[in-house]
Amino acid sequence: PAFQLDQQLFPLLELAEYVHETGDRELLDRLTPRVIDVVEMLLRRRAAHAALFPTDETPADDPIAMPYHLSSHILFWVALHKLSHLDLNFIALADAIRDAVQTHFVTEHEGRQLYAYATDGHGGFHLYHDANDFPTILAPIWGYCDIADPLWRATLAFAFSDANREGVYNQRLGSVHTRAPWPLGDVQELIIARLQADPDREARALDHLRLAAQADGALPEAYDIATGAVISRTWFAWPNAAYACVQLNAFKP
């Protein structure tokens, strides 16, 4: 029964990317009324003072400390931009969402400005990053920001540091959902290493993924850092798909 913002948005992104790749305008025309229905439903949930959209849960299906979640807003911006490239004009809403992120999610940690994981929209912030928050990692690839953007870089530096107390386990990114390293976190690190041309970090991420891989090569949800033994979900589709995309160079700036 919980409302999860990113679950409303990924289908819009999938549709936009599918039509872009296939040119299937007939499908887009048929589903455009449903797209508009979803966007209008979300607009009814919009905060009164800014283009902020609440969620009851994080993308990890966990309760959220504050109602407005960073990576879901980046995802919303991306989905609207990709739909706009197909002549569904959502640019004004996308711009309003980005303005709201820059206004309401930027905070300071240890003397550096960065994006908060969540905000209450009135100056309250929750600092955290989760292995499920791929839109934050993919922001420069999707055109939300530049790879050199200091806010993005500071956010990622925090995300993979011990300061991310509930998200980092033995220097590897995981999630409060299952408190251990996650292959999804290792894939995130692999993407960052390649974006920043850091071969040593790339090699470490690949070593972690090899440790986590099971006998058939599949990646679990979470694993034991010492042995690679499965802690949860021996076969978890998301890290396997993400890892394949990285190795096939699908994630490019």
Side-chain angles (χ1 to χ4, degrees):
F3 182 88
Q4 196 166 307
L5 180 57
D6 71 316
Q7 290 181 351
Q8 318 305 313
L9 299 171
F10 274 115
L12 302 183
L13 179 64
E14 287 184 281
L15 174 63
E17 292 190 339
Y18 176 82
V19 174
H20 175 77
E21 292 293 333
T22 65
D24 190 347
R25 299 291 309 197
E26 182 180 347
L27 177 68
L28 180 64
D29 291 343
R30 179 164 59 84
L31 292 181
T32 291
R34 305 285 76 79
V35 171
I36 293 171
D37 286 346
V38 172
V39 174
E40 288 181 347
M41 175 271 293
L42 292 171
L43 284 170
R44 290 193 293 272
R45 296 175 60 87
R46 181 188 186 276
H49 66 293
L52 295 170
F53 297 84
T55 185
D56 296 335
E57 291 185 337
T58 72
D61 309 323
D62 296 320
I64 192 163
M66 295 184 180
Y68 307 114
H69 174 249
L70 174 66
S71 78
S72 294
H73 281 74
I74 295 172
L75 178 64
F76 203 169
W77 181 92
V78 170
L80 292 174
H81 261 267
K82 295 207 174 197
L83 288 167
S84 296
H85 292 158
L86 298 170
D87 302 322
L88 295 176
N89 191 2
F90 294 118
I91 289 296
L93 177 56
D95 288 347
I97 290 170
R98 194 178 191 284
D99 288 346
V101 170
Q102 299 305 113
T103 300
H104 295 285
F105 280 91
V106 177
T107 186
E108 189 172 296
H109 176 72
E110 296 183 350
R112 299 176 71 185
Q113 285 194 318
L114 76 170
Y115 291 115
Y117 179 78
T119 179
D120 62 6
H122 297 284
F125 302 101
H126 177 52
L127 290 179
Y128 173 64
H129 180 77
D130 191 287
N132 292 275
D133 286 292
F134 259 77
T136 304
I137 301 298
L138 297 179
I141 294 172
W142 277 338
Y144 182 86
C145 65
D146 188 82
I147 291 172
D149 177 30
L151 281 171
W152 181 77
R153 284 180 170 262
T155 303
L156 272 294
F158 166 86
F160 285 87
S161 75
D162 290 338
N164 184 14
R165 289 188 294 272
E166 294 184 301
V168 168
Y169 302 87
N170 297 96
Q171 300 181 319
R172 300 185 197 180
L173 185 63
S175 171
V176 293
H177 187 77
T178 303
R179 294 174 182 269
W182 283 41
L184 271 176
D186 297 327
V187 175
Q188 285 192 23
E189 188 152 30
L190 179 59
I191 293 170
I192 295 164
R194 291 187 176 173
L195 286 175
Q196 298 182 346
D198 186 338
D200 292 338
R201 190 173 188 180
E202 177 179 348
R204 288 194 300 272
L206 289 169
D207 285 344
H208 298 163
L209 286 162
R210 292 187 190 103
L211 175 66
Q214 302 309 295
D216 61 357
L219 296 166
E221 179 183 71
Y223 64 97
D224 183 276
I225 192 167
T227 66
V230 173
I231 289 179
S232 63
R233 295 191 190 180
T234 300
W235 296 282
F236 192 30
W238 194 356
N240 292 283
Y243 186 30
C245 285
V246 174
Q247 297 297 64
L248 292 169
N249 295 315
F251 294 149
K252 297 178 181 178

